[in-house]
Amino acid sequence: MATHMAAAFKNAGHHIVQIYSPNMHNAALLAYHVGATAINAISDIDPNTDIFIIAVKDDAIARVTEALAGHQKLIVHTSGSTNLDVLLTYTDKAGVLYPLQTFSKTREVDFATVPLCIEAANDRIYADLEQLATTVSNNIYCVNSAGRKILHLAAVFACNFPNYLYEVARQLLTDHEMDFNLLRPLILETAQKVQQQSPAAVQTGPAVRNDQTTMNEHLQMLADKPQLQQIYTLLSQGIIKNNNGEHGDK
Amino acid sequence: MATHMAAAFKNAGHHIVQIYSPNMHNAALLAYHVGATAINAISDIDPNTDIFIIAVKDDAIARVTEALAGHQKLIVHTSGSTNLDVLLTYTDKAGVLYPLQTFSKTREVDFATVPLCIEAANDRIYADLEQLATTVSNNIYCVNSAGRKILHLAAVFACNFPNYLYEVARQLLTDHEMDFNLLRPLILETAQKVQQQSPAAVQTGPAVRNDQTTMNEHLQMLADKPQLQQIYTLLSQGIIKNNNGEHGDK
């Protein structure tokens, strides 16, 4: 994530002074990419900057903040599940810039489309962060720490779990010597459909039709995979339950 | 699905003789679209055609086949979960053209990218169907009835269940007055990532990191939603189990 955010700020014309990582190789790699200086000791931090952006593992945020707070500069973290209070323990110049996207080092992401969630210790800092955020993203949202936690949970349902189900499908095909490429267009179209519409309105499959014959047949096909049977039953029940409240295309 | 397939054949230069539906309005709508004649009685079928394509509900396939078999023309169905044998009861000129995609009347689909699964009663019919299929799709697969059943089950995991989880995520946000637009880019990128890579290799989230703190926190946030807790636990266990066998980016 640090890689993508740093590149986005660089491309928007901002000057990235330094990249810090305890691993000098990692620091140097990103620093080279964005024209910054690499450091691997927090004591080497150059305080001539407007903002420190902390993009480290959640449990390291407090320690890094403590080490930087003495410079009296704005400090922001980028974590979905970390409260702003973690920064406020050490400084009142604090905020959050949380980019809601799944990043991989091997894939380019159009950062302009990434929702950026902002929280700040006060209105002045909020305005500054908003101004900064608009230089890299067209999707700025004001989300506080409680909202960010909900978002992070919702993202597990919208991203991590679907990806796991793709893998289940891939394994089912592989077990029968079929190619995952058969499913790739379906996976993409399913995600594209909900870009404009509500997922409930475009739900398809045996559960939303309450097609018990097909569901029973599927459960029999999973007879030697009790965990997948459980998943199949639970998710089908969820679809049936939703559908009793709302109606969409079958 | 009939709409999209008929349009694809029409666009590829084929002549669609008639569109039959017991509902004349539906028949006329599609017939107008593809330059065919609409009929709502099977007795009005024009036998001057090379092929009858049956794209009806699964439980109506046998009845329609029986009504058409006397014409001694090639009959194919388009169903993922229906065995070729259902046609073979009435005719030996039988095959299957199963397009593996989720279709909605309100969304255009590039049919050339849709995987088309072919099965046929004999090699000559297979060759004919393959030739026909290549005029509308670049993704032709030979899949028999048993394979098609597996594919259909896998598609439930790869499409229907992820769509349900999108809806769960949408509801979590709505409960806290947040906008589903926050998650839409994440959903799309998650599907795009697996277009080139294996889902297991790009799995992210607390479960694949075995981050028990975050998972417990998420379960507490779902305290008043026991069904979602169960889904969260089961899917997280699945991710952890997969990850103990394979390794990918965290």
Side-chain angles (χ1 to χ4, degrees), chain A residues 102 104 107 184 189 193-194, chain B residues 102 104 184 189 193-194:
Chain A
T102 173
S104 346
R107 261 186 67 85
R184 283 185 157 121
E189 173 67 11
K193 265 186 171 181
V194 299
Chain B
T102 171
S104 347
R184 284 185 157 122
E189 173 67 11
K193 264 186 170 180
V194 299

Side-chain angles (χ1 to χ4, degrees), chain A residues 141-155 157, chain B residues 167-180 182-183 217-218 220-225 228:
Chain A
Y141 293 87
C142 173
V143 182
N144 66 16
S145 292
R148 220 162 44 243
K149 270 189 201 303
I150 297 287
L151 258 186
H152 191 246
L153 172 63
F157 280 92
Chain B
E167 175 62 17
V168 168
R170 192 195 65 76
Q171 288 174 6
L172 284 170
L173 294 197
T174 304
D175 286 352
H176 295 84
E177 290 169 353
M178 281 188 284
D179 192 335
F180 185 52
L182 271 159
L183 288 176
E217 200 173 13
H218 283 169
Q220 279 164 27
M221 291 166 74
L222 297 170
D224 60 341
K225 299 181 175 73
L228 294 188

Side-chain angles (χ1 to χ4, degrees), chain B residues 46-146:
Chain B
D46 181 349
N48 290 313
T49 181
D50 298 315
I51 184 170
F52 293 120
I53 300 178
I54 303 181
V56 300
K57 280 186 183 168
D58 290 354
D59 56 10
I61 292 173
R63 187 175 48 75
V64 174
T65 308
E66 189 175 15
L68 295 173
H71 298 298
Q72 296 291 319
K73 301 285 178 172
L74 175 56
I75 301 179
V76 307
H77 77 62
T78 57
S79 159
S81 48
T82 303
N83 205 294
L84 180 64
D85 296 345
V86 173
L87 306 188
L88 294 177
T89 312
Y90 305 101
T91 177
D92 54 357
K93 294 183 177 164
V96 181
L97 274 182
Y98 171 49
L100 186 59
Q101 187 51 281
T102 171
F103 297 101
S104 347
K105 286 197 179 163
T106 53
R107 262 185 68 84
E108 286 285 325
V109 163
D110 178 8
F111 211 88
T113 67
V114 174
L116 260 183
C117 305
I118 304 179
E119 183 179 14
N122 61 51
D123 290 351
R124 195 181 46 72
I125 295 174
Y126 188 90
D128 287 349
L129 286 179
E130 193 175 31
Q131 196 182 12
L132 177 64
T134 53
T135 65
V136 291
S137 170
N138 302 321
N139 288 313
I140 316 288
Y141 294 87
C142 172
V143 182
N144 65 17
S145 291

